[in-house]
Amino acid sequence: AKSWINIRKSYGNFYKVPRNQTKLTIMLEKLGMNYDGRPHSGLDDSKNIARIAIRMLQDGCELRVNERMHAGQLMTVSSSTPLEGAPAPQMPRYRN
């Protein structure tokens, strides 16, 4: 793979949250989701990242390639058209 979507970057840009709020468990928590599976399991992490991506698409995010490798170096891919973001996700409110 020479180009990909970094969900942490996309999440932070779309929901307008700082990088320290883009850890997998924090993203899931802010979206009102629980972590499914065993922590640090590659397969389970992938499934949870996919759940976040689906939620972002449902919230109106247009996921785009935002990183690539060029001459052995990691490069950020900037978009020529800025995307509108959504407000930061809020914890669901439960009624008693």
Side-chain angles (χ1 to χ4, degrees):
K2 293 188 180 188
S3 59
W4 58 90
I5 298 169
N6 180 327
I7 290 293
R8 289 180 69 183
K9 280 186 180 181
S10 296
Y11 178 96
N13 291 334
F14 184 70
Y15 293 116
K16 309 286 191 243
V17 298
R19 183 148 173 88
N20 67 355
Q21 291 184 18
T22 61
K23 293 185 174 139
L24 182 56
T25 54
I26 294 172
M27 291 188 293
L28 288 164
E29 178 184 315
K30 294 291 185 183
L31 294 171
M33 300 177 188
N34 292 320
Y35 185 93
D36 288 345
R38 293 179 306 129
H40 308 296
S41 160
L43 181 58
D44 291 338
D45 284 352
S46 298
K47 289 177 182 179
N48 284 291
I49 291 167
R51 292 172 53 224
I52 291 169
I54 290 168
R55 172 63 184 275
M56 290 174 65
L57 291 168
Q58 290 170 338
D59 286 348
C61 180
E62 185 179 325
L63 294 173
R64 297 182 183 181
V65 169
N66 56 15
E67 287 186 349
R68 67 184 177 97
M69 289 298 287
H70 179 71
Q73 293 191 331
L74 177 63
M75 309 285 289
T76 296
V77 176
S78 61
S79 171
S80 59
T81 56
L83 295 176
E84 287 293 319
Q90 301 296 315
M91 288 293 296
R93 298 185 196 278
Y94 298 101
R95 294 184 182 169
N96 293 334

